Amino acid sequence: MVSGKNSKAARNARASVVTKRPTPWGTIAAVAVVVLLAVGVFGYGIAANRAKQDEQAALAKFTPSAQNQDPSLQIAGIVTQQYVGGQHVTPEQQVAYTHAPPFGGAHDGYWAACNGVVYPAAVRSENLVHSLEHGAVWIAYNPDQVVGDAVETLKKKVDGERYMVMSPYPGLDSPISLQSWGHQLKVGDVTDARIDEFISSLKQNQYTHPEVGASCDATGPGTFDQDNPPPFVAPPAPGTPGTQPEVSATPASVAPDPAPMR
């Protein structure tokens, strides 16, 4: 017969045994991953915000103002020319432009839709020049040289953006050409910082285009059809019989490239 003393000792011995639980390494690892992700997202947000601030600071001097009415004149390589506004031709007429793509002068009475429209095919220049008169920036590109991701990079600057329009331009003598009324800049790469400088300087710049406040929408019967625009036609040479002259007020001038650093 087991004595009460021995039974009590056995119970105490059992009670003194502590059950060890395994370390929850899986939970710890999961928490660590969440913390690291949070830190990464937070850090990325800070870096992205800083990059945005730096970009805005860099473009500050390319923002039009009463004191700085045409900031684009600071952009190396920009071509400027004064044009007579309000010179219209009919849809069947061509203008003998002196620049390709054109960036001012006589144009079709109907403007091309230019509120963030990316045209997949080349569009009649006479309509796009009218869009420039309304304050739009037109990005043209050589479809044989700018393809794939490069086209997508340009699209991001245009798609859905008011007073921006983009289209291929067959035979363009540079990969990319930017136009606003009386201004043109040709560049060789979609990452060229001058593209954003041009847009910041000239999109809806009230000091550089004739028809301030004019619409970039093209709606209504008999107007420009955004979904079926008039196609591009190779420009005729100046002086070609049956064409209209460009009608410029001054000869073109080109901003020189900056002096090389010593």
Side-chain angles (χ1 to χ4, degrees):
M1 182 174 180
V2 179
S3 68
K5 181 177 179 181
N6 290 338
S7 177
K8 183 176 181 181
R11 287 196 303 270
N12 289 340
R14 286 196 299 270
S16 64
V17 176
V18 177
T19 302
K20 288 188 175 182
R21 296 182 179 179
T23 303
W25 294 113
T27 302
I28 293 173
V31 171
V33 169
V34 171
V35 170
L36 288 173
L37 285 174
V39 170
V41 170
F42 183 70
Y44 176 80
I46 292 177
N49 185 57
R50 184 176 295 121
K52 185 67 174 178
Q53 291 176 343
D54 291 344
E55 179 184 352
Q56 291 173 343
L59 291 176
K61 68 177 182 178
F62 297 101
T63 301
S65 67
Q67 293 73 37
N68 187 18
Q69 296 185 358
D70 190 355
S72 74
L73 299 179
Q74 306 170 77
I75 302 174
I78 195 164
V79 177
T80 59
Q81 184 164 339
Q82 293 183 13
Y83 286 103
V84 176
Q87 305 294 312
H88 292 167
V89 299
T90 58
E92 69 277 0
Q93 290 179 305
Q94 272 191 285
V95 178
Y97 292 112
T98 57
H99 298 275
F103 54 96
H107 49 270
D108 193 280
Y110 295 121
W111 61 91
C114 48
N115 271 332
V117 184
V118 176
Y119 293 101
V123 177
R124 183 168 177 261
S125 294
E126 286 81 357
N127 298 96
L128 285 163
V129 170
H130 196 157
S131 302
L132 304 184
E133 190 180 44
H134 287 197
V137 167
W138 169 27
I139 298 181
Y141 65 95
N142 187 324
D144 295 326
Q145 297 179 334
V146 181
V147 297
D149 290 343
V151 174
E152 294 303 314
T153 297
L154 291 177
K155 280 184 178 180
K156 291 177 182 178
K157 300 178 185 297
V158 176
D159 194 16
E161 296 291 331
R162 290 175 54 79
Y163 290 85
M164 291 293 298
V165 61
M166 173 176 160
S167 69
Y169 191 92
L172 182 61
D173 60 0
S174 69
I176 304 158
S177 183
L178 295 99
Q179 289 69 227
S180 73
W181 183 264
H183 299 74
Q184 185 174 68
L185 178 68
K186 293 184 177 181
V187 300
D189 192 276
V190 295
T191 63
D192 195 314
R194 292 177 296 167
I195 296 176
D196 289 337
E197 293 171 358
F198 186 99
I199 296 170
S200 179
S201 296
L202 295 166
K203 186 180 75 168
Q204 281 190 285
N205 183 337
Q206 62 177 317
Y207 304 106
T208 60
H209 68 97
E211 297 188 6
V212 177
S215 174
C216 242
D217 293 327
T219 58
T223 62
F224 182 91
D225 186 348
Q226 176 177 330
D227 298 321
N228 186 29
F232 171 84
V233 178
T240 300
T243 64
Q244 300 297 310
E246 181 179 74
V247 193
S248 62
T250 64
S253 61
V254 183
D257 290 334
M261 296 181 65
R262 298 182 183 277

